[in-house]
């Protein structure tokens, strides 16, 4: 999803020897440096310029086995999922089936309830741009690490996956953070609500709606949103680890995907993710008017570089758009400008790490890939 534990500096981007998947090139050196800085077992960078795709790997997909990851290697991509949920929601706007300024209570009556939370004042737009005031159900965004530990370490959810409504209830029970539109705070709860909204309006499971409306249209055969209980990643895939000081101590590849759901459950590859961004920016998925809204940031306090499901990043060669992602075992980012795109991923969530060094290494890698 966004940033777990103490790795928030990594998601603030733009704000040793390894086994390469290709012959050594300049990208390889930058990728090796990024892998070392993040303390990861393996790292991959995928670049796309039009239809031309290249990938480089560093390290390995698993601690004891596996080869270097490449553009075809599946990762859990965390909050990059939000780009897909937002795209489907905006397609529904284009089709005249959804009003961005409609109160969520009008579309999903009875779903959003909590102390000081008025579902008649929270619009679909507020949810998309993280300005609803609904707290994040995982807790870590607001620094509630006890809440994070209780939910992420909840063994019950690994046996009986939580429903989207349960996740929403975990967030809304804390009460409103601020009045809708009067502030900004990253909320996985809000995107869980949006996933429920897509299902309500399309009459489809969110997995099916994303597949038919985005994945099949773009041509993303390696990407899917897992069903509850669908813990395994089909090969080729990278395993995911928790680490301390660059040493992996826990394999969390098989974590229950329903805990992330519409806010961060997607599985994908660098090849597919860069194809998605290019298709989105070229107008293949939403109208020019909706795309402009996705890339329009709301004025006011809180979350100044986020539009409707897209984040704005600044590189050495200009402004790009995309999304970062982090869930247990994986840290990812995909950004692009409409012609070129870059996707990076590591199979690691550091519990203790030098966040500033990792953020700088990530920044260097993205700048080299897009601007070099």
């Amino acid at each position: 999803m966004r940033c777990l534990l103490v790795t928030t500096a990594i998601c603030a981007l733009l704000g040793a020897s390894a086994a390469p998947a290709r012959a050594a090139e300049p990208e390889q050196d930058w990728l090796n440096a990024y892998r070392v800085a993040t303390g990861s077992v393996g790292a991959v960078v995928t670049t796309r310029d039009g239809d031309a795709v290249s990938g480089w790997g560093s390290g390995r997909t698993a601690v004891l086995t596996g080869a270097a990851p490449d553009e075809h290697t599946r990762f859990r991509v965390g909050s990059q999922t939000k780009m897909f949920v937002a795209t489907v929601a905006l397609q529904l706007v284009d089709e005249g089936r959804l009003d961005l300024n409609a109160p969520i209570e009008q579309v999903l009556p009875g779903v959003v309830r909590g102390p000081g939370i008025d579902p008649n004042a929270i619009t679909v737009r507020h949810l998309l741009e993280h300005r609803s005031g609904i707290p994040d159900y995982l807790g870590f965004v607001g620094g509630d690490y006890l809440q994070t530990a209780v939910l992420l370490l909840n063994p019950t959810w690994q046996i009986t996956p939580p429903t989207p409504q349960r996740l929403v209830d975990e967030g809304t029970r804390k009460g409103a953070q601020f009045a809708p539109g009067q502030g900004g705070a990253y909320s996985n709860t809000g995107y869980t609500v949006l996933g429920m909204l897509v299902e309500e309006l399309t009459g489809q499971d969110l997995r099916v709606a994303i597949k038919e409306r985005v994945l099949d249209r773009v041509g993303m055969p390696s990407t899917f949103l897992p069903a509850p209980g669908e813990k395994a990643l089909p090969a080729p895939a990278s395993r995911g680890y928790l680490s301390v000081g660059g040493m992996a101590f826990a394999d969390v590849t098989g974590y229950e995907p329903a805990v992330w759901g519409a806010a961060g459950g997607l599985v994908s590859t660098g090849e597919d993710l860069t194809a998605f961004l290019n298709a989105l920016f070229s107008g293949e998925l939403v109208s020019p008017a909706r795309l402009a809204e996705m890339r329009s940031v709301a004025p006011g306090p809180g979350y100044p570089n986020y539009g409707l499901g897209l984040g704005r990043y600044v590189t050495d060669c200009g402004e790009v758009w995309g999304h970062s992602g982090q869930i247990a075992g994986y840290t990812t980012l995909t950004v692009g400008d409409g012609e070129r795109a870059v996707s990076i991923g590591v199979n690691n969530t550091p519990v203790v790490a030098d966040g500033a060094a990792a953020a700088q290494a990530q920044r260097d890698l993205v700048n080299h890939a897009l601007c070099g």
Side-chain angles (χ1 to χ4, degrees):
M1 294 179 179
R2 195 164 174 258
C3 293
L4 290 175
L5 307 174
V6 297
T7 57
T8 53
I10 294 178
C11 289
L13 164 78
L14 310 172
S17 63
R22 300 285 194 275
E25 297 187 39
E27 284 84 353
Q28 191 69 57
D29 293 336
W30 295 100
L31 180 61
N32 291 345
Y34 179 53
R35 182 182 64 80
V36 171
T38 58
S40 299
V41 174
V44 61
V45 59
T46 303
T47 61
R48 179 182 290 271
D49 189 345
D51 293 328
V53 180
S54 299
W56 292 264
S58 177
R60 294 186 176 276
T61 56
V63 169
L64 299 177
T65 61
D70 62 20
E71 68 271 26
H72 308 298
T73 302
R74 289 184 178 90
F75 279 68
R76 298 192 190 277
V77 302
S79 277
Q80 292 196 55
T81 308
K82 293 178 175 68
M83 296 190 290
F84 294 78
V85 173
T87 296
V88 175
L90 290 163
Q91 288 176 345
L92 294 171
V93 175
D94 278 332
E95 294 164 12
R97 301 167 65 182
L98 179 64
D99 181 352
L100 285 174
N101 298 314
I104 193 61
E105 182 69 8
Q106 177 182 312
V107 188
L108 287 177
V111 169
V112 176
R113 291 287 185 269
I117 296 176
D118 182 1
N120 288 294
I122 298 171
T123 67
V124 176
R125 187 186 301 276
H126 289 147
L127 295 170
L128 284 164
E129 63 189 9
H130 295 298
R131 296 178 66 82
S132 68
I134 301 175
D136 177 64
Y137 69 84
L138 280 172
F140 59 79
V141 174
D144 186 354
Y145 297 117
L146 177 60
Q147 169 81 352
T148 304
V150 167
L151 297 190
L152 293 186
L153 300 178
N154 183 347
T156 304
W157 284 10
Q158 301 304 308
I159 301 169
T160 305
T163 65
Q165 184 65 64
R166 174 65 189 279
L167 300 178
V168 172
D169 291 344
E170 287 289 344
T172 56
R173 69 179 176 82
K174 305 173 191 177
Q177 291 178 292
F178 47 80
Q182 300 306 303
Y186 196 89
S187 177
N188 289 304
T189 313
Y191 270 78
T192 304
V193 175
L194 288 167
M196 297 172 72
L197 179 152
V198 167
E199 293 188 334
E200 176 69 20
L201 294 183
T202 63
Q204 296 177 306
D205 186 279
L206 180 62
R207 300 186 300 276
V208 176
I210 288 176
K211 184 177 186 300
E212 293 184 355
R213 287 172 166 270
V214 180
L215 308 182
D216 291 347
R217 191 179 300 185
V218 175
M220 301 174 64
S222 297
T223 302
F224 65 99
L225 184 63
E230 189 178 0
K231 298 180 179 182
L233 297 186
S238 185
R239 303 202 66 80
Y241 300 94
L242 302 182
S243 71
V244 172
M247 298 296 293
F249 70 90
D251 186 329
V252 290
T253 308
Y255 198 87
E256 171 53 52
V259 176
W260 319 120
L266 201 73
V267 174
S268 191
T269 68
E271 182 176 41
D272 279 5
L273 290 167
T274 53
F276 164 75
L277 269 194
N278 277 10
L280 178 65
F281 295 154
S282 68
E284 295 179 33
L285 296 173
V286 298
S287 68
R290 299 291 83 76
L291 181 60
E293 289 192 277
M294 292 183 81
R295 295 193 287 196
S296 176
V297 299
Y303 214 57
N305 290 312
Y306 202 89
L308 304 186
L310 289 176
R312 178 174 63 187
Y313 302 84
V314 177
T315 71
D316 288 350
C317 52
E319 184 178 274
V320 295
W321 291 85
H323 217 292
S324 62
Q326 187 171 72
I327 58 174
Y330 301 90
T331 302
T332 64
L333 173 78
T334 304
V335 294
D337 60 10
E339 295 182 2
R340 298 167 301 164
V342 58
S343 185
I344 61 178
V346 294
N347 57 352
N348 173 64
T349 300
V351 177
V352 178
D354 184 345
Q360 184 60 54
Q362 190 183 69
R363 185 180 300 113
D364 290 342
L365 179 58
V366 170
N367 277 327
H368 179 79
L370 291 179
C371 308

